[in-house]
Amino acid sequence: MRILLSLALMLSCGAGAHDLITAEAAERYLENAAQWHAQSGSATVANERAEAHVKIGAMLDEIRDLLNRDLAIHGKVQGLPSNYVVAELKRLGTPLAYSESRRYFLANSAHYRTALEIGLTGPLEQVAKLRLLRGDFYDSFDFDPLQSTQTLNQLQEQVLLAEDLASNTFTEPNLEEVRFIAAFTYARAAIIAPEENVAAGFRTRAIASASKFERDYPDSMRSAAMPVLRDAMQTLK
């Protein structure tokens, strides 16, 4: 791998000054991916396997953000190191999540879900839960956060996750985002719930969450979305 990466470095020196992933960064990513992938499958302690999944997921999300910037600006992944990383991560068994229809890289939520299913404990447990919540929420819509591709079961799972993170043990600045996601998750569930009593319960929680969010975060840009959420809930009655 080092020989190929050295070649990538030489080839990219003259043309990749604007590349978001350098050859050095590519080498670091791939070395970490190989190490953590091996740990995720071979560590004798379950928590070590779970932590390896969180580390892989966080690294892939970092790479995803860089590659999506390329896609937004250029319409394609730029640079030999970036394309090499994408190909090698797939070969190593730690591929980046990608949507062909949307033509961008998704959050790598599967690693966080796996870590939690294994029984992750310690400081990384909250990290995994937050990243899972974010990834599933933001990847589930294109423009309108009230229009979701999630099922009611998925939304109910997300509600439980958001409520867990919004407990007194979770702190700012992430708490604001968690409560924002929770409010819209209640609203989404209210929209698609087939039974009126279930929909009414979610609708009540959505309206209450939106009002409390506005009171607690009057200067937040996210507060501007709360009247829209409440109006949508009122039309369901």
Side-chain angles (χ1 to χ4, degrees):
M1 182 182 292
R2 285 184 175 276
I3 294 175
L4 292 173
L5 284 169
S6 296
L7 176 61
L9 175 60
M10 288 187 291
L11 291 175
S12 63
C13 281
H18 63 287
D19 293 345
L20 296 178
I21 296 178
T22 64
E24 292 87 347
E27 180 174 6
R28 183 179 70 254
Y29 285 139
L30 294 175
E31 286 180 349
N32 287 338
Q35 175 188 341
W36 294 331
H37 180 61
Q39 182 181 330
S40 71
S42 63
T44 56
V45 179
N47 207 54
E48 291 180 359
R49 296 198 303 274
E51 288 182 353
H53 276 288
V54 177
K55 291 175 181 177
I56 293 170
M59 181 191 69
L60 294 180
D61 282 344
E62 179 181 319
I63 297 171
R64 172 206 62 179
D65 290 342
L66 294 172
L67 296 180
N68 280 342
R69 285 168 58 186
D70 257 353
L71 291 175
I73 297 170
H74 305 290
K76 64 179 181 178
V77 174
Q78 292 282 102
L80 180 59
S82 295
N83 282 283
Y84 184 69
V85 163
V86 173
E88 282 298 294
L89 285 172
K90 183 176 181 179
R91 186 187 67 80
L92 287 169
T94 56
L96 286 150
Y98 182 76
S99 171
E100 289 287 351
S101 60
R102 296 181 179 180
R103 297 187 61 80
Y104 68 76
F105 291 91
L106 304 172
N108 296 272
S109 301
H111 287 285
Y112 309 123
R113 187 171 284 108
T114 299
L116 294 169
E117 289 172 353
I118 290 172
L120 179 67
T121 59
L124 286 182
E125 182 181 2
Q126 293 291 79
V127 173
K129 288 180 177 179
L130 177 60
R131 286 180 173 270
L132 177 58
L133 181 74
R134 282 173 172 165
D136 284 351
F137 177 73
Y138 293 116
D139 280 351
S140 66
F141 69 97
D142 289 319
F143 303 106
D144 184 356
L146 287 171
Q147 300 300 314
S148 170
T149 60
Q150 294 170 304
T151 65
L152 184 59
N153 284 339
Q154 290 172 328
L155 290 170
Q156 289 172 322
E157 290 176 2
Q158 196 162 36
V159 162
L160 293 176
L161 188 58
E163 290 177 344
D164 176 62
L165 288 170
S167 67
N168 292 331
T169 59
F170 204 66
T171 59
E172 302 290 4
N174 295 319
L175 181 57
E176 178 190 331
E177 183 178 17
V178 168
R179 290 177 57 184
F180 174 83
I181 293 173
F184 272 92
T185 303
Y186 293 141
R188 289 175 170 190
I191 291 170
I192 70 170
E195 299 177 5
E196 172 53 29
N197 63 322
V198 175
F202 281 119
R203 186 165 61 242
T204 298
R205 293 157 80 181
I207 293 171
S209 296
S211 298
K212 191 172 190 308
F213 190 95
E214 285 181 299
R215 291 195 302 271
D216 292 345
Y217 304 103
D219 299 323
S220 171
M221 292 182 64
R222 293 187 176 106
S223 288
M226 295 305 153
V228 177
L229 184 154
R230 278 200 305 274
D231 287 346
M233 294 298 96
Q234 293 296 333
T235 62
L236 293 179
K237 292 185 176 180

